[in-house]
Structures are given as C-alpha cells and as structure tokens.
Amino acid sequence: MFLTISTTGTPERPATDLGFLLHKHPDKAQAFSTSYGTAHVFYPEAGEDRCTAALLLEVDAVALVRRGKGKGRGGAPDAALAQYVNDRPYAASSLLAVALSGVFSSAMKGACRARPELPDRPLPLRIEVPAVPARGGAGLVRALFEPLGWTVTVAPVALDAEFPEWGDSRYVGLVLEGEQRLADALRHLYVLLPVLDDAKHYWVATDEVEKLLRAGEGWLPAHPEQKLITSRYLSRRWSLTRQAMERLELVRLAEADDSQVEEIDNAVDESQDTDEKPVPLAVQRRDAIVAALRSADAGRVLDLGCGQGQLVQELLKDTRFTEIVGVDVSMRALTIASRRLKLDRMGERQSERVRLVQGSLAYTDKRLKGYDAAVLSEVIEHLDLPRLPALEYAVFGAARPRTVIVTTPNVEYNVRWETLPAGHVRHGDHRFEWTREEFRAWAGAVAERHGYGVEFRPVGPDDPEVGPPTQMAVFHTTARNPKEEKVA
C-alpha cells in the first residue's frame, strides 16, 4: 500500500515545514514495525518550493492470517484461500488507516513542539493513493471527500488493461487537492479509507465509537453522508452505530446552540437507575417456544436435548402441559436438570407430570412416540452435518409428534454481537451455524419429506439487515407419514 502527501511553499514558508508537522525528517528514510508488517516513511522530494512525504506499508500476509485466526462457519475452502489471496498488501484499507494513526500520531493530533504555530496553518495539499477499494464507485468517493473541501480526481482501475472490454474493477486511483490543515487531512483519510473499503481487518468493539468521534471532530457531525460513514466505519453494528449517531447529534445541537455538549445532555439524573434491563435472549427463546406450544394446543411435550432443564422448568409452571419429558444424551446434564427441578422434593401431583430420560437423537426410540409436540431448542447446530439426517428421521419419521419446534442461531446476526470475534461461531461446540436461507431450505425439505407444513418465526430483535438472533421453525403435520403411505 502506498500513499503520498505533497505540499508547495515559498522561501518565507518552505514546503519542508511538512517534515516538522509529520515529525519525520526529510533527509531520513525510516521504518516502523506494525502488527501486520512494516511501514516505511521517506521523502521522494524535499525542497522549499515542493515537498512530498511517502508512506509505504509492506503487509506480512502470514502475520495477517495469524492475527485473524479463529473458528469460522464450517471452514469453507474458498474462505481459507481468501486469507492468503487478497488485496490487502496492495489496496488502501483499514490497514493503511491504522498505519497512518500509528506513524503520524502526533500529526493527527495537531501537535508540533518544534513549531507550534504550524498545525493550525492550512497548507496546499495534494494526497495521492494509487489503489483504493471503492464499494460505491467514483460517485461515493466524491460524496465523501468533496463536502470536506477537497477537489477530488477519481481514476477507475481497469480489471485488465489488455482486455478493456472486461470493464473497470472496484478499485480507483484517488487524488485529493485542497487547502487543509494536515491534521484534518489525516483524520479524513483515517475514517474514510475503511469506509470506502466497507471492511475492517480487526474486530470492531465499543472503543471504535470513541475513535470515530475523535477523528471526526469538527467535520463529521455536519457531513451530509454522516449516517453512511458511521455505519460503515463501525462495520454496520447497529448498536454501535446508534450510539455514535446519538453522540454526533448532541454535538450538532450543541454547536447550533453555541453551548457545551454536557449542558444539553443533562436530562437524566445519574443517581437514579432508569435503564430497563434487557431481556436475555435465552428467556426470549423460551417464551417464544412456550407461546408456540400453547398455540398448538400441546399437552404432552418432549424436550429433546433438554440440557440442564430450563425449558422443562418453564413448562412445569403451566398446568396445561400435562406430561413433559426431557431427553438428553448426557447423564451429567440430566443430573443437573434433576437438581434444578428438585425432583427429589417435588410433590406427587407435580412429579407425575415430568420425566427425565437418557437417549440419543441419532437413533429411533419407541419411548418418544405418541406425543403432541417435540422441541429441539439450540440442538441441531451441535451435531455434525452428516448425522443430521439420522436425527431428522428419528424425530420426524419415527417419533412423529403432531408439532415440532426447532430453534437455531442465525449466523447472519453474529456481526451484531459486539463481544463475538469476527469469524467465530457463538459456542465452541457448534458444528455449524446457518443463514436464514440455509435454515429455511433445510426445514422446507424436512417438511416435504415427512408430511409436515412449516412456518418461520423470529426470536429476539428482528434486524432489518441481518434478521433475528435466533430463527425458529414450527412444523405441523399435514398428512400421514409419506413412507407409511407408500407401504400401505
């Protein structure tokens, strides 16, 4: 990755003042170690009439893979190859933005001890970046930089110069020219390069909001593309984006009222706890399952893969569920469930309603036949995919309850979990996590094979872009078992 910053000067204000601002001497070539390679700073030209500083970032592809190592969804071969074959060493991205903030940190802060008058002085700047990924094209590049006072020149990069009929790639050559303070120019690049790439090479956590607000101070609150910039910079994490947008709106209101943010953000008495406690997703999931069972008028219920008995405990609170059977392959889980339910101290009438049995869902089991409903809550993702057809037959083909409820994580929603590292599944034992499309395809095929109808319901906040955190399928029998019909 390569970037140059040029300026012009006069004998009274030589262009080599750029060296003072960047804290890098024009006569030296310097190298700086980063987490992903080496950043080199040198000056191709340094005179009083014109001075150019260059930043060359050499990316260590192996270090990049090691830093991003983690569990993905199934380890697809194309995803594994993409770790090594990508544009990161060549195209400006968050890697270059991080290098800018590290190598030119004092310049970004507007600090210059040797010449304290320089940081506030606008300079005639020319910034060139030969290869920038622009997801949105030249129009977006101009929409991002022109409101900041830059004259923007965008040159699309052809997919292959020898085959112009193939058209342009998503990369552009970018030139910015204008009278700007150097600190402002660096902050523009720090924020907007990752925005154009629409991706970051590291996990976006809550501290990214503060980074964005610091770098965007003085220009982001009034930017016409503020919402897009905020969303893309924070990797479209809606909770972080909302937090940043609220803070930016406060800044805008304070500037309009010529007051401090603290003066207008004082409506809440911090001594009082006014926050509503969010309902845990596990509780929302159980509530959704119980509601679906009630809607299905189920009395005798199987909790397949009951774990530590949380759902069984919830079902026991409602007397309409006359028989509840918890099934799990783990005796340890069943022992914990027994303690949770206090089976040894349970009254006779209550204890007649509940049983805990050991069993594997990979095999047919005569004990599971004849029930109104079966629940598979967060179970299927713990099975290896080749074993899923065995579970399917054991539940839908052999046991064949009137209603089957299946819940599983929606992998698309994982980008909204601020504490979940990128590329990781939600639990170390998950063998896979499905998109909404993948889950619907599986459920639809199961329903068709075994004579069920199926409907899908969201569990948890239904994000307009990535859907809910948990997806639920409710199967209802519509006909006799197709296999039994063939035998008859």
Side-chain angles (χ1 to χ4, degrees):
M1 281 178 268
F2 189 64
L3 174 147
T4 60
I5 303 171
S6 301
T7 187
T8 56
T10 63
E12 296 76 23
R13 292 185 175 181
T16 47
D17 283 351
L18 183 63
F20 287 102
L21 287 168
L22 293 174
H23 294 256
K24 304 293 181 287
H25 199 288
D27 292 339
K28 295 181 180 178
Q30 297 174 268
F32 303 86
S33 180
T34 73
S35 301
Y36 303 95
T38 305
H40 302 271
V41 177
F42 56 94
Y43 289 75
E45 55 183 340
E48 66 177 23
D49 58 335
R50 183 175 176 83
C51 184
T52 298
L55 173 64
L56 172 66
L57 179 60
E58 289 185 303
V59 174
D60 184 340
V62 175
L64 189 63
V65 172
R66 286 174 178 167
R67 284 291 299 268
K69 189 176 181 181
K71 294 182 178 179
R73 22 181 318 250
D78 55 338
L81 181 62
Q83 295 181 89
Y84 297 93
V85 183
N86 54 57
D87 63 356
R88 288 298 175 244
Y90 316 106
S93 66
S94 57
L95 288 168
L96 184 59
V98 170
L100 277 171
S101 67
V103 175
F104 300 138
S105 58
S106 297
M108 282 186 66
K109 295 173 185 175
C112 183
R113 290 184 181 179
R115 300 280 300 280
E117 78 282 1
L118 287 181
D120 290 329
R121 182 191 302 168
L123 300 176
L125 294 176
R126 177 184 173 91
I127 297 174
E128 297 185 54
V129 191
V132 179
R135 298 179 190 271
L140 179 61
V141 178
R142 294 190 179 93
L144 293 179
F145 285 101
E146 285 182 349
L148 301 174
W150 292 104
T151 298
V152 181
T153 303
V154 184
V157 177
L159 278 172
D160 192 315
E162 294 186 9
F163 299 95
E165 65 273 14
W166 290 0
D168 295 329
S169 67
R170 65 184 181 90
Y171 303 94
V172 298
L174 174 63
V175 177
L176 303 174
E177 295 177 287
E179 291 271 339
Q180 299 274 358
R181 294 191 322 137
L182 181 64
D184 293 337
L186 293 174
R187 287 200 289 262
H188 296 165
L189 293 169
Y190 176 77
V191 173
L192 297 180
L193 287 179
V195 168
L196 282 171
D197 191 18
D198 199 13
K200 284 200 170 183
H201 68 277
Y202 57 88
W203 179 247
V204 175
T206 52
D207 62 337
E208 290 297 305
V209 174
E210 294 299 329
K211 293 179 185 178
L212 173 63
L213 295 175
R214 284 198 301 269
E217 184 178 358
W219 62 271
L220 184 54
H223 198 291
E225 298 294 339
Q226 176 202 99
K227 186 173 182 180
L228 179 142
I229 293 169
T230 304
S231 176
R232 283 195 175 193
Y233 182 87
L234 296 171
S235 295
R236 303 178 188 272
R237 298 189 181 280
W238 67 268
S239 59
L240 298 183
T241 302
R242 181 179 61 189
Q243 180 184 340
M245 292 294 291
E246 289 171 352
R247 298 268 298 277
L248 289 167
E249 179 62 12
L250 282 173
V251 172
R252 189 190 67 80
L253 291 172
E255 290 177 349
D257 199 38
D258 195 22
S259 59
Q260 297 296 316
V261 171
E262 293 76 12
E263 295 178 20
I264 61 174
D265 189 23
N266 60 359
V268 177
D269 182 358
E270 293 185 358
S271 65
Q272 303 294 324
D273 184 6
T274 58
D275 289 341
E276 294 185 9
K277 298 293 188 291
V279 179
L281 180 59
V283 175
Q284 295 182 62
R285 188 161 48 237
R286 285 197 293 274
D287 289 347
I289 291 170
V290 172
L293 290 171
R294 288 171 180 160
S295 178
D297 198 24
R300 304 175 66 237
V301 179
L302 296 167
D303 183 7
L304 304 177
C306 66
Q308 299 178 16
Q310 292 94 330
L311 178 60
V312 173
Q313 186 178 43
E314 189 68 25
L315 294 175
L316 279 171
K317 297 176 183 178
D318 192 334
T319 56
R320 80 180 70 196
F321 301 115
T322 56
E323 184 179 354
I324 306 157
V325 179
V327 182
D328 205 286
V329 71
S330 168
M331 279 305 301
R332 182 171 179 273
L334 292 174
T335 300
I336 296 173
S338 178
R339 291 174 186 163
R340 176 189 294 274
L341 298 170
K342 299 181 175 61
L343 289 182
D344 57 340
R345 287 178 281 170
M346 191 176 284
E348 182 178 351
R349 180 176 296 180
Q350 192 80 325
S351 63
E352 288 178 350
R353 296 173 57 210
V354 61
R355 282 189 300 134
L356 299 178
V357 300
Q358 185 181 25
S360 171
L361 302 180
Y363 304 97
T364 59
D365 190 335
K366 293 180 180 179
R367 296 174 298 175
L368 306 184
K369 289 187 177 182
Y371 285 84
D372 298 329
V375 177
L376 290 157
S377 179
E378 311 300 286
V379 170
I380 60 173
E381 63 274 8
H382 290 272
L383 274 69
D384 292 319
L385 283 170
R387 303 190 71 183
L388 207 52
L391 175 143
E392 173 193 331
Y393 178 74
V395 175
F396 295 90
R400 198 162 177 76
R402 189 175 71 242
T403 299
V404 181
I405 299 171
V406 180
T407 72
T408 191
N410 167 23
V411 72
E412 296 170 77
Y413 193 88
N414 286 0
V415 298
R416 300 296 190 245
W417 295 117
E418 296 164 14
T419 57
L420 182 65
H424 282 56
V425 291
R426 296 186 200 175
H427 189 282
D429 189 52
H430 286 186
R431 303 302 199 266
F432 62 89
E433 287 180 358
W434 276 336
T435 64
R436 288 169 290 173
E437 182 179 353
E438 289 169 332
F439 181 56
R440 286 172 178 264
W442 174 80
V446 169
E448 184 176 355
R449 280 193 290 268
H450 298 283
Y452 281 80
V454 61
E455 58 178 307
F456 301 92
R457 302 176 188 176
V459 179
D462 197 357
D463 188 283
E465 292 184 4
V466 297
T470 295
Q471 43 193 341
M472 181 167 76
V474 181
F475 299 81
H476 297 288
T477 50
T478 58
R480 292 178 58 204
N481 189 329
K483 294 187 177 180
E484 293 179 356
E485 291 177 350
K486 290 180 181 179
V487 173

